Amino acid sequence: MKSPVRKMFDGIASRYDFLNHFLSCYQDVLWRRYCCKRLKKMMGAEWRDEMPGLLDETPLSGKPRGLNKVRLLDLCGGTGDFANTFRKIFESGCKCKNVSQNGVSRDFVVDPAVIGDFSYGMLAEVKPKKIDAHAVQLDAMKMPFAERQFDVILNGFGMRNVPDARGALMESYRVLDVGGYLCVLEFFSPRNLFNKFFYKVLAPLFIPVMGAFFSGKRDAYEYLVNSIIRFLPVDQFCKMAEECGFEVKQVKMFDGGISFGVFLHKPGNA
């Protein structure tokens, strides 16, 4: 039987992107762009030392694959906005270059992404965008992938919708290759005065009304606000990620703490 949360996301899929942009005043676009640019910089600086397999025939995992191909998973990826942004940022302008052990400079390119989500309705919105990606319906706590299948995992506004965030972190760690990155862009439970005022006073008044007006699904946007308040604060989430084996490379606060970008790294000795 379809869960109520999955049914809810199926019901708002056609208006999901528009309402994300409208309700955030298009800040969500800027948040994704920042995360992708930051990942590009981190990867260019650190993969040279920690992931020589990207530059040579044999990856550290010992599993053959194409040279310099970045394997991307957009987890809880919805309509694929995060994966699409990553590709545009990563492959635009001067590509993320690195130098192999024989001194040859090579560009990294992104393999066709995997966009994974539990909502079929959301994934159905991927195809019209003509994104170079495969849409896969899946459970974030039990993914149908072998170990070390991805170099980068993106998770935009999905971690708080997973019944067990720790389970999703552990599963992400399993399918992420050594030296890889997990970027979580999320609305975390408010802690400071501004956050509490925004999410406990302003958001409950504004977001459900606008959601109902544009999508006819007021309950879905009431759920959105409540899921943020019930979720972990960002510091507790980072502690949980470390307990799962990740290194916290950076925590970026956006717009006074309305959202955060958390950059997690799977160490090369994992």
Side-chain angles (χ1 to χ4, degrees), residues 89-104:
I89 294 294
F90 199 85
E91 296 187 343
S92 67
C94 180
K95 293 182 182 179
C96 184
K97 290 182 180 289
N98 227 323
V99 180
S100 66
Q101 293 175 350
N102 63 8
V104 177

Side-chain angles (χ1 to χ4, degrees), residues 192-210:
N192 63 42
L193 289 177
F194 171 74
N195 287 347
K196 289 179 179 178
F197 178 73
F198 181 84
Y199 281 119
K200 294 185 178 181
V201 178
L202 295 181
L205 295 175
F206 173 72
I207 291 177
V209 172
M210 291 296 99

Side-chain angles (χ1 to χ4, degrees), residues 50-69:
E50 296 193 27
M51 295 191 73
L54 285 173
L55 303 165
D56 299 295
E57 293 289 348
T58 307
L60 290 181
S61 64
K63 297 177 180 179
R65 59 190 172 87
L67 287 175
N68 312 315
K69 295 292 184 71

